């Protein structure tokens, strides 16, 4: 039997080790992934509950609760905003980062979801995440639960003194001057602006010297196409109208689900009022001319957006 042969190791044949600098593989520093999203959400929820239990949150003189708005109300509206209506915003740079301003928008949709979607847009899509302090009709504040939530979300009665106090303190105020005439108009009159009233919002902006930002909303008209109105039921419920749509009341509660139209919200160039003498806020002709300018700007923007979209549901 042959003997085992021993092969001597030469210096250049030695086993290379990881200590050799030229053989060390590049080490990529793994990025810190951080905690999973569900863990962050849970931590935020627990922190929110702790603040509520301890009373560690602020409510202003109008009842606005920023903590509740950011952690409960806005998250509840975001699925509608992002996934159902797929809202796209245009001209967000026209909304100032700080200081008072007045956003004036068209109103439609049978139920006032357009105002809520505008509030989400200005918080989520604006660099400064601004809260929109909406001016609403007194009927809204008389409704159980809805009225209290509206106050918590930052809404207040649509009256000149409240509007002026908010704008003078640097708040972003929103108004829908068509009121119930806008949201309750028949589907055949969609995207045709109704009368803007006597221009109280314009005179308030003039006294405060804040810019007026015209806002055009396309898509809200199609969520509940109003094809009829049962006036006896409206009087019974003390409501401005009792709508009939293709799905309501035929399909019962299912008919209350809004149709998934595609939305566009465009903020136009601000109309400055700081160069106007505040005394002219009491001049009916000056107020009328500025009100008409805002209205015409919104109407032309609506026509332009409508001419560019191919479908009410696909954009």
């Amino acid at each position: 039997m042959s003997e085992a042969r021993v092969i001597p190791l030469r210096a250049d044949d030695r086993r290379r080790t990881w200590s050799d600098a030229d053989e060390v593989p590049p080490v990529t520093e793994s990025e810190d992934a951080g905690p999973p999203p569900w863990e962050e959400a849970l931590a935020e929820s627990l922190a929110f509950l702790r603040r509520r239990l301890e009373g560690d949150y602020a409510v202003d003189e109008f009842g606005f609760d920023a903590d509740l708005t950011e952690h409960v109300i806005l998250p509840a509206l975001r699925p509608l905003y992002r996934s159902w209506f797929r809202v796209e915003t245009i001209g967000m740079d026209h909304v100032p980062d700080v200081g008072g301003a007045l956003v004036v928008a068209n109103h439609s949709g049978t139920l006032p979801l357009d105002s809520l979607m505008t509030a989400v847009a200005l918080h989520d899509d604006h660099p400064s995440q601004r809260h929109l302090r909406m001016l609403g009709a007194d009927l809204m504040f008389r409704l159980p639960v809805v009225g209290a939530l509206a106050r918590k979300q930052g809404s207040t009665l649509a009256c000149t003194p409240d509007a002026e106090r908010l704008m003078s303190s640097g708040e972003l105020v929103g108004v829908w001057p068509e009121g119930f005439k806008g949201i309750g108009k028949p589907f055949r009159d969609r995207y045709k602006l109704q009368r803007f009233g006597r221009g109280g919002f314009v005179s308030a902006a003039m006294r405060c010297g804040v810019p007026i930002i015209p806002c055009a909303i396309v898509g809200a008209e199609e969520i509940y196409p109003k094809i009829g109105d049962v006036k006896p039921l409206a009087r019974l419920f003390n409501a401005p109208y009792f709508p009939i749509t293709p799905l309501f009341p035929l399909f019962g509660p299912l008919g209350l689900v809004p149709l998934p139209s595609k939305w566009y919200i465009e903020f136009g160039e601000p109309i400055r009022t700081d160069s106007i003498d505040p005394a002219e806020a009491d001049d009916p002709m000056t107020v009328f001319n500025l009100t008409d300018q805002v209205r015409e700007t919104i109407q032309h923007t609506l026509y332009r957006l409508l001419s560019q979209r191919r479908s009410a549901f696909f954009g």
Side-chain angles (χ1 to χ4, degrees):
M1 185 174 66
S2 60
E3 296 182 359
R5 196 160 50 96
V6 178
I7 303 176
L9 291 175
R10 297 193 303 271
D12 55 350
D13 287 336
R14 72 184 185 277
R15 187 181 301 275
R16 306 298 291 263
T17 65
W18 293 124
S19 60
D20 294 329
D22 58 336
E23 292 293 332
V24 176
V27 178
T28 55
E29 188 175 337
S30 61
E31 297 181 0
D32 184 12
W38 68 265
E39 191 173 316
E40 291 183 352
L42 179 60
E44 288 183 7
S45 299
L46 292 175
F48 170 76
L49 289 175
R50 184 176 63 251
R51 288 194 301 272
R52 306 310 290 189
L53 293 173
E54 296 176 353
D56 186 19
Y57 59 92
V59 178
D60 73 4
E61 58 182 314
F62 294 94
F64 174 49
D65 188 336
D67 189 45
L68 184 71
T69 299
E70 292 178 359
H71 292 92
V72 176
I73 299 177
L74 289 176
L77 295 172
R78 282 192 184 109
L80 276 178
Y81 180 84
R82 295 178 178 174
S83 303
W84 196 250
F85 297 138
R86 296 148 290 146
V87 181
E88 290 187 26
T89 58
I90 306 166
M92 191 62 77
D93 57 312
H94 291 145
V95 181
D97 293 341
V98 294
L102 181 67
V103 176
V104 182
N106 59 302
H107 217 7
S108 63
T110 306
L111 291 180
L113 294 181
D114 51 1
S115 57
L116 296 175
M117 294 301 103
T118 306
V120 178
L122 287 165
H123 181 273
D124 288 9
D125 293 346
H126 193 278
S128 298
Q129 295 188 323
R130 301 208 64 176
H131 287 290
L132 183 64
R133 308 299 296 272
M134 297 184 284
L135 304 179
D138 56 352
L139 174 62
M140 179 176 69
F141 300 104
R142 294 201 305 264
L143 296 174
V145 181
V146 173
L149 282 177
R151 287 284 186 188
K152 296 286 188 183
Q153 192 265 339
S155 299
T156 190
L157 193 63
C159 63
T160 301
D162 282 3
E164 291 183 5
R165 277 199 297 163
L166 285 168
M167 288 186 287
S168 297
S169 60
E171 297 287 349
L172 183 64
V173 176
V175 64
W176 285 258
E178 292 175 281
F180 290 117
K181 300 188 303 295
I183 58 174
K185 65 178 176 288
F187 187 64
R188 63 176 179 271
D189 295 332
R190 58 194 180 277
Y191 299 114
K192 296 177 183 177
L193 291 184
Q194 306 299 299
R195 191 172 63 88
F196 267 21
R198 287 176 276 185
F201 66 91
V202 165
S203 60
M206 290 170 63
R207 290 190 185 93
C208 298
V210 301
I212 299 174
I213 303 167
C215 175
I217 304 171
V218 165
E221 294 277 17
E222 289 83 13
I223 60 174
Y224 297 113
K226 182 170 173 280
I227 57 177
D229 186 2
V230 184
K231 296 187 183 302
L233 286 177
R235 288 193 294 268
L236 177 64
F237 292 107
N238 196 25
Y241 51 84
F242 189 91
I244 302 296
T245 74
L247 300 180
F248 180 83
L250 182 62
F251 288 88
L254 187 62
L256 295 175
V257 177
L259 297 178
S261 56
K262 169 69 177 177
W263 286 38
Y264 298 92
I265 301 179
E266 178 167 341
F267 299 93
E269 292 187 14
I271 300 173
R272 296 184 56 180
T273 65
D274 54 355
S275 59
I276 303 175
D277 187 350
E280 294 190 44
D282 297 320
D283 178 21
M285 188 55 66
T286 302
V287 172
F288 173 79
N289 289 336
L290 191 52
T291 302
D292 193 55
Q293 179 184 352
V294 175
R295 185 181 181 279
E296 287 300 311
T297 300
I298 297 173
Q299 185 67 82
H300 287 311
T301 305
L302 288 173
Y303 287 151
R304 176 171 51 79
L305 290 173
L306 289 169
S307 67
Q308 293 172 353
R309 75 170 183 175
R310 294 166 296 176
S311 164
F313 297 98
F314 302 104

Short mmCIF file of all heavy atoms in Angstrom, two decimals, residues 183-218:
data_model
loop_
_atom_site.label_atom_id
_atom_site.label_comp_id
_atom_site.label_asym_id
_atom_site.label_seq_id
_atom_site.Cartn_x
_atom_site.Cartn_y
_atom_site.Cartn_z
N ILE A 183 -75.88 73.39 -3.15
CA ILE A 183 -75.84 71.94 -2.97
C ILE A 183 -77.18 71.29 -3.30
O ILE A 183 -77.24 70.10 -3.60
CB ILE A 183 -75.41 71.56 -1.54
CG1 ILE A 183 -76.35 72.18 -0.49
CG2 ILE A 183 -73.99 71.96 -1.28
CD1 ILE A 183 -76.05 71.71 0.91
N GLY A 184 -78.28 72.06 -3.26
CA GLY A 184 -79.59 71.47 -3.51
C GLY A 184 -80.14 71.70 -4.90
O GLY A 184 -81.30 71.38 -5.17
N LYS A 185 -79.33 72.22 -5.81
CA LYS A 185 -79.86 72.50 -7.16
C LYS A 185 -80.02 71.19 -7.95
O LYS A 185 -79.33 70.20 -7.69
CB LYS A 185 -78.93 73.46 -7.90
CG LYS A 185 -77.54 72.95 -8.21
CD LYS A 185 -76.76 74.00 -8.98
CE LYS A 185 -75.32 73.57 -9.22
NZ LYS A 185 -74.51 73.62 -7.98
N PRO A 186 -80.94 71.18 -8.91
CA PRO A 186 -81.15 69.98 -9.73
C PRO A 186 -79.91 69.60 -10.52
O PRO A 186 -79.07 70.46 -10.85
CB PRO A 186 -82.31 70.37 -10.65
CG PRO A 186 -82.93 71.55 -10.02
CD PRO A 186 -81.86 72.27 -9.28
N PHE A 187 -79.80 68.33 -10.86
CA PHE A 187 -78.64 67.84 -11.61
C PHE A 187 -78.53 68.52 -12.97
O PHE A 187 -77.43 68.68 -13.49
CB PHE A 187 -78.73 66.33 -11.76
CG PHE A 187 -77.51 65.70 -12.37
CD1 PHE A 187 -76.29 65.75 -11.72
CD2 PHE A 187 -77.58 65.07 -13.60
CE1 PHE A 187 -75.16 65.17 -12.28
CE2 PHE A 187 -76.46 64.49 -14.17
CZ PHE A 187 -75.24 64.54 -13.51
N ARG A 188 -79.67 68.91 -13.55
CA ARG A 188 -79.62 69.56 -14.87
C ARG A 188 -78.90 70.91 -14.80
O ARG A 188 -78.44 71.42 -15.83
CB ARG A 188 -81.04 69.75 -15.41
CG ARG A 188 -81.92 70.67 -14.58
CD ARG A 188 -83.28 70.90 -15.21
NE ARG A 188 -84.11 71.76 -14.39
CZ ARG A 188 -84.91 71.35 -13.42
NH1 ARG A 188 -84.99 70.05 -13.16
NH2 ARG A 188 -85.63 72.20 -12.71
N ASP A 189 -78.81 71.50 -13.62
CA ASP A 189 -78.14 72.80 -13.45
C ASP A 189 -76.73 72.66 -12.92
O ASP A 189 -76.15 73.63 -12.40
CB ASP A 189 -78.95 73.69 -12.50
CG ASP A 189 -80.30 74.07 -13.07
OD1 ASP A 189 -80.42 74.13 -14.31
OD2 ASP A 189 -81.24 74.28 -12.28
N ARG A 190 -76.15 71.47 -13.03
CA ARG A 190 -74.82 71.23 -12.47
C ARG A 190 -73.79 72.18 -13.07
O ARG A 190 -73.81 72.51 -14.26
CB ARG A 190 -74.40 69.78 -12.70
CG ARG A 190 -74.36 69.34 -14.15
CD ARG A 190 -74.25 67.82 -14.25
NE ARG A 190 -74.22 67.33 -15.62
CZ ARG A 190 -75.31 67.14 -16.35
NH1 ARG A 190 -76.50 67.44 -15.87
NH2 ARG A 190 -75.21 66.68 -17.59
N TYR A 191 -72.89 72.62 -12.20
CA TYR A 191 -71.77 73.50 -12.53
C TYR A 191 -72.21 74.87 -13.03
O TYR A 191 -71.42 75.58 -13.65
CB TYR A 191 -70.82 72.83 -13.52
CG TYR A 191 -70.22 71.56 -12.95
CD1 TYR A 191 -70.52 70.32 -13.49
CD2 TYR A 191 -69.39 71.61 -11.83
CE1 TYR A 191 -70.00 69.15 -12.95
CE2 TYR A 191 -68.86 70.45 -11.28
CZ TYR A 191 -69.18 69.23 -11.84
OH TYR A 191 -68.67 68.08 -11.29
N LYS A 192 -73.44 75.24 -12.77
CA LYS A 192 -73.92 76.60 -13.03
C LYS A 192 -74.06 77.29 -11.69
O LYS A 192 -74.92 76.96 -10.88
CB LYS A 192 -75.26 76.58 -13.77
CG LYS A 192 -75.20 75.95 -15.15
CD LYS A 192 -76.58 75.91 -15.78
CE LYS A 192 -76.55 75.23 -17.15
NZ LYS A 192 -77.91 75.12 -17.75
N LEU A 193 -73.19 78.26 -11.44
CA LEU A 193 -73.17 78.90 -10.13
C LEU A 193 -74.47 79.64 -9.86
O LEU A 193 -75.03 80.32 -10.73
CB LEU A 193 -72.00 79.88 -10.04
CG LEU A 193 -70.59 79.27 -10.03
CD1 LEU A 193 -69.55 80.35 -9.83
CD2 LEU A 193 -70.46 78.21 -8.96
N GLN A 194 -74.93 79.51 -8.62
CA GLN A 194 -76.10 80.24 -8.17
C GLN A 194 -75.67 81.61 -7.64
O GLN A 194 -74.49 81.93 -7.58
CB GLN A 194 -76.82 79.44 -7.08
CG GLN A 194 -77.18 78.02 -7.49
CD GLN A 194 -78.11 77.95 -8.68
OE1 GLN A 194 -79.23 78.44 -8.64
NE2 GLN A 194 -77.65 77.35 -9.77
N ARG A 195 -76.64 82.39 -7.23
CA ARG A 195 -76.35 83.73 -6.75
C ARG A 195 -75.48 83.67 -5.49
O ARG A 195 -75.65 82.78 -4.65
CB ARG A 195 -77.66 84.47 -6.45
CG ARG A 195 -77.51 85.95 -6.18
CD ARG A 195 -78.89 86.60 -6.10
NE ARG A 195 -79.67 86.06 -4.98
CZ ARG A 195 -79.62 86.53 -3.74
NH1 ARG A 195 -78.83 87.56 -3.46
NH2 ARG A 195 -80.36 86.01 -2.79
N PHE A 196 -74.57 84.63 -5.35
CA PHE A 196 -73.62 84.66 -4.24
C PHE A 196 -74.12 85.50 -3.06
O PHE A 196 -73.34 85.86 -2.20
CB PHE A 196 -72.28 85.19 -4.71
CG PHE A 196 -71.32 84.11 -5.14
CD1 PHE A 196 -71.78 82.86 -5.51
CD2 PHE A 196 -69.95 84.35 -5.18
CE1 PHE A 196 -70.91 81.86 -5.92
CE2 PHE A 196 -69.07 83.35 -5.58
CZ PHE A 196 -69.55 82.11 -5.95
N GLY A 197 -75.35 85.84 -3.02
CA GLY A 197 -75.85 86.63 -1.90
C GLY A 197 -75.41 88.08 -2.00
O GLY A 197 -75.12 88.60 -3.08
N ARG A 198 -75.33 88.75 -0.84
CA ARG A 198 -75.03 90.18 -0.83
C ARG A 198 -73.55 90.49 -0.66
O ARG A 198 -73.18 91.64 -0.48
CB ARG A 198 -75.84 90.85 0.28
CG ARG A 198 -77.31 90.97 -0.06
CD ARG A 198 -78.11 91.56 1.09
NE ARG A 198 -78.47 90.54 2.07
CZ ARG A 198 -79.25 90.78 3.12
NH1 ARG A 198 -79.71 91.99 3.34
NH2 ARG A 198 -79.56 89.80 3.96
N GLY A 199 -72.71 89.46 -0.69
CA GLY A 199 -71.27 89.71 -0.66
C GLY A 199 -70.71 90.02 0.71
O GLY A 199 -69.72 90.73 0.83
N GLY A 200 -71.34 89.48 1.76
CA GLY A 200 -70.82 89.71 3.10
C GLY A 200 -69.41 89.19 3.28
O GLY A 200 -68.60 89.78 4.02
N PHE A 201 -69.07 88.09 2.60
CA PHE A 201 -67.72 87.54 2.73
C PHE A 201 -66.68 88.46 2.13
O PHE A 201 -65.56 88.58 2.64
CB PHE A 201 -67.66 86.15 2.06
CG PHE A 201 -67.84 86.16 0.57
CD1 PHE A 201 -66.76 86.25 -0.27
CD2 PHE A 201 -69.11 86.07 0.01
CE1 PHE A 201 -66.92 86.25 -1.65
CE2 PHE A 201 -69.29 86.07 -1.35
CZ PHE A 201 -68.19 86.17 -2.19
N VAL A 202 -67.06 89.17 1.06
CA VAL A 202 -66.13 90.11 0.42
C VAL A 202 -65.86 91.30 1.33
O VAL A 202 -64.71 91.72 1.50
CB VAL A 202 -66.69 90.56 -0.95
CG1 VAL A 202 -65.94 91.78 -1.45
CG2 VAL A 202 -66.58 89.43 -1.96
N SER A 203 -66.91 91.86 1.90
CA SER A 203 -66.72 93.01 2.78
C SER A 203 -65.88 92.63 4.00
O SER A 203 -65.06 93.43 4.47
CB SER A 203 -68.07 93.58 3.20
OG SER A 203 -68.84 92.61 3.89
N ALA A 204 -66.06 91.41 4.51
CA ALA A 204 -65.25 90.97 5.66
C ALA A 204 -63.78 90.87 5.27
O ALA A 204 -62.89 91.29 6.04
CB ALA A 204 -65.76 89.62 6.16
N ALA A 205 -63.48 90.31 4.09
CA ALA A 205 -62.09 90.21 3.64
C ALA A 205 -61.49 91.59 3.41
O ALA A 205 -60.31 91.82 3.71
CB ALA A 205 -62.03 89.39 2.35
N MET A 206 -62.30 92.54 2.91
CA MET A 206 -61.80 93.89 2.67
C MET A 206 -61.46 94.58 3.99
O MET A 206 -60.44 95.29 4.09
CB MET A 206 -62.85 94.69 1.90
CG MET A 206 -63.03 94.24 0.46
SD MET A 206 -64.46 95.01 -0.36
CE MET A 206 -63.98 96.73 -0.34
N ARG A 207 -62.28 94.40 4.99
CA ARG A 207 -62.00 95.03 6.29
C ARG A 207 -60.73 94.46 6.92
O ARG A 207 -60.00 95.17 7.60
CB ARG A 207 -63.18 94.84 7.24
CG ARG A 207 -64.42 95.65 6.87
CD ARG A 207 -65.46 95.60 7.98
NE ARG A 207 -66.68 96.28 7.57
CZ ARG A 207 -67.72 95.69 7.00
NH1 ARG A 207 -67.68 94.36 6.79
NH2 ARG A 207 -68.78 96.37 6.66
N CYS A 208 -60.48 93.17 6.69
CA CYS A 208 -59.30 92.53 7.27
C CYS A 208 -58.07 92.68 6.38
O CYS A 208 -56.94 92.39 6.83
CB CYS A 208 -59.57 91.05 7.53
SG CYS A 208 -60.90 90.74 8.70
N GLY A 209 -58.28 93.08 5.12
CA GLY A 209 -57.15 93.24 4.20
C GLY A 209 -56.49 91.93 3.82
O GLY A 209 -55.28 91.89 3.54
N VAL A 210 -57.26 90.83 3.77
CA VAL A 210 -56.69 89.52 3.44
C VAL A 210 -57.04 89.16 2.00
O VAL A 210 -58.04 89.64 1.45
CB VAL A 210 -57.21 88.43 4.40
CG1 VAL A 210 -56.85 88.77 5.83
CG2 VAL A 210 -58.72 88.24 4.26
N PRO A 211 -56.24 88.31 1.36
CA PRO A 211 -56.54 87.91 -0.02
C PRO A 211 -57.74 86.98 -0.11
O PRO A 211 -58.01 86.19 0.80
CB PRO A 211 -55.26 87.20 -0.48
CG PRO A 211 -54.64 86.71 0.80
CD PRO A 211 -54.98 87.73 1.84
N ILE A 212 -58.45 87.07 -1.24
CA ILE A 212 -59.57 86.18 -1.53
C ILE A 212 -59.08 85.17 -2.57
O ILE A 212 -58.56 85.55 -3.62
CB ILE A 212 -60.78 86.95 -2.07
CG1 ILE A 212 -61.27 87.95 -1.02
CG2 ILE A 212 -61.90 86.00 -2.45
CD1 ILE A 212 -62.37 88.87 -1.54
N ILE A 213 -59.23 83.88 -2.27
CA ILE A 213 -58.73 82.83 -3.16
C ILE A 213 -59.91 82.10 -3.78
O ILE A 213 -60.61 81.33 -3.09
CB ILE A 213 -57.84 81.84 -2.38
CG1 ILE A 213 -56.69 82.59 -1.73
CG2 ILE A 213 -57.32 80.75 -3.30
CD1 ILE A 213 -55.94 81.80 -0.70
N PRO A 214 -60.19 82.31 -5.06
CA PRO A 214 -61.29 81.57 -5.72
C PRO A 214 -60.94 80.09 -5.82
O PRO A 214 -59.80 79.72 -6.14
CB PRO A 214 -61.37 82.21 -7.11
CG PRO A 214 -60.57 83.48 -7.02
CD PRO A 214 -59.54 83.25 -5.97
N CYS A 215 -61.91 79.24 -5.54
CA CYS A 215 -61.69 77.79 -5.55
C CYS A 215 -62.78 77.13 -6.37
O CYS A 215 -63.98 77.34 -6.12
CB CYS A 215 -61.68 77.26 -4.12
SG CYS A 215 -61.55 75.46 -3.99
N ALA A 216 -62.39 76.32 -7.35
CA ALA A 216 -63.34 75.61 -8.21
C ALA A 216 -63.25 74.12 -7.93
O ALA A 216 -62.15 73.55 -7.95
CB ALA A 216 -63.04 75.90 -9.68
N ILE A 217 -64.40 73.50 -7.68
CA ILE A 217 -64.45 72.07 -7.35
C ILE A 217 -65.26 71.34 -8.42
O ILE A 217 -66.45 71.63 -8.62
CB ILE A 217 -65.09 71.84 -5.97
CG1 ILE A 217 -64.35 72.64 -4.89
CG2 ILE A 217 -65.11 70.35 -5.62
CD1 ILE A 217 -65.04 72.66 -3.55
N VAL A 218 -64.61 70.41 -9.10
CA VAL A 218 -65.27 69.60 -10.13
C VAL A 218 -65.31 68.15 -9.66
O VAL A 218 -64.30 67.61 -9.20
CB VAL A 218 -64.52 69.73 -11.47
CG1 VAL A 218 -64.95 68.63 -12.42
CG2 VAL A 218 -64.76 71.08 -12.09
#
